[in-house]
Amino acid sequence: MSLNIVLFGATGMVGSRIAAEAVERGHSVTAVSRSGSSPVPGVTAVSANLTDLARVAEVTAGHDVVASAVAPPRDGSNPTAPFLNMNETLVAGVRRAGLGRLVVVGGAGSLEVAPGQALADQPGFPDAYLGEALAHRDVLAFLRTVDDLDWTYISPAAEIAPGERTGEFRIGGDRLMVDADGNSRISAEDYAIAFVDEVERDGHARSRMSVAY
């Protein structure tokens, strides 16, 4: 069944691959970005800012599923509060538009390496990514308070980068997954497959899932 998907953050590394994967499967994609442009053919590109509740509700209305690939900035600032505010606005916009399904690109820093021990809290976690990891973790905590929307938060492996589209990966939950060599990684292309799979199947309602090789 073809879905009408609105995707925020559609111009980024992950968002553009999600858009391309969804279009390839025959879904209709409204690609939302601040610029109103998209590198992916076959989408409807519109502009919106996640600080503007009325605009978020406007571009969201009439779709089947809302997806977000918006990421915190990596400019050396503390992105936690602004990024959480954007996600709160997104949820409020989804509610105002009368939609019920939200799928979010999450972070890996909140995945557990042992019971009660998050990856981002481990010694040696890169300082360059700590602010981003904590911002993503706060969004997950916020979503876990949302009980009136069918949301799913999808964490990638610890390493995600452009690569090969293999279609071979594992699906997990709150635990960090590693391969036989102890590495935790996923290509952005394979992450996009898993993301669109979840958009189609709705198999992890009101929970976090994770993707890794």
Side-chain angles (χ1 to χ4, degrees):
M1 180 181 69
S2 177
L3 295 171
N4 195 3
I5 303 166
V6 57
L7 172 63
F8 290 82
T11 59
M13 177 189 71
V14 175
S16 60
R17 284 162 175 80
I18 291 171
E21 180 70 26
V23 168
E24 178 66 22
R25 298 192 195 188
H27 299 302
S28 174
V29 177
T30 300
V32 186
S33 66
R34 284 177 296 180
S35 66
S37 62
S38 173
V40 179
V43 305
T44 300
V46 301
S47 63
N49 193 312
L50 275 176
T51 61
D52 185 341
L53 174 58
R55 180 60 177 159
V56 170
E58 179 184 5
V59 301
T60 298
H63 292 82
D64 299 312
V65 182
V66 182
S68 174
V70 176
R74 291 181 180 174
D75 57 6
S77 63
N78 182 352
T80 303
F83 189 59
L84 179 58
N85 290 341
M86 286 191 294
N87 280 273
E88 290 171 340
T89 300
L90 175 61
V91 167
V94 173
R95 288 185 179 123
R96 183 178 291 190
L99 274 69
R101 178 86 175 117
L102 172 64
V103 186
V104 175
V105 173
S110 58
L111 290 168
E112 293 184 339
V113 297
Q117 298 184 33
L119 176 63
D121 295 330
Q122 301 309 298
F125 189 88
D127 288 340
Y129 301 111
L130 184 57
E132 180 179 2
L134 297 179
H136 274 299
R137 182 164 67 180
D138 281 358
V139 170
L140 175 59
F142 162 64
L143 288 174
R144 284 174 166 162
T145 70
V146 175
D147 59 7
D148 60 337
L149 297 180
D150 179 3
W151 59 267
T152 303
Y153 180 100
I154 307 180
S155 287
E159 298 178 15
I160 180 169
E164 186 179 358
R165 185 186 187 279
T166 71
E168 300 290 334
F169 47 80
R170 293 178 291 160
I171 297 295
D174 289 323
R175 190 70 182 264
L176 179 74
M177 293 185 288
V178 299
D179 62 19
D181 297 321
N183 299 313
S184 177
R185 61 187 186 85
I186 190 72
S187 72
E189 287 76 5
D190 279 340
Y191 177 90
I193 293 175
F195 190 98
V196 179
D197 283 349
E198 180 61 22
V199 168
E200 293 175 343
R201 299 170 186 172
D202 193 6
H204 296 80
R206 293 180 190 164
S207 65
R208 186 250 292 277
M209 58 176 277
S210 54
V211 187
Y213 291 129

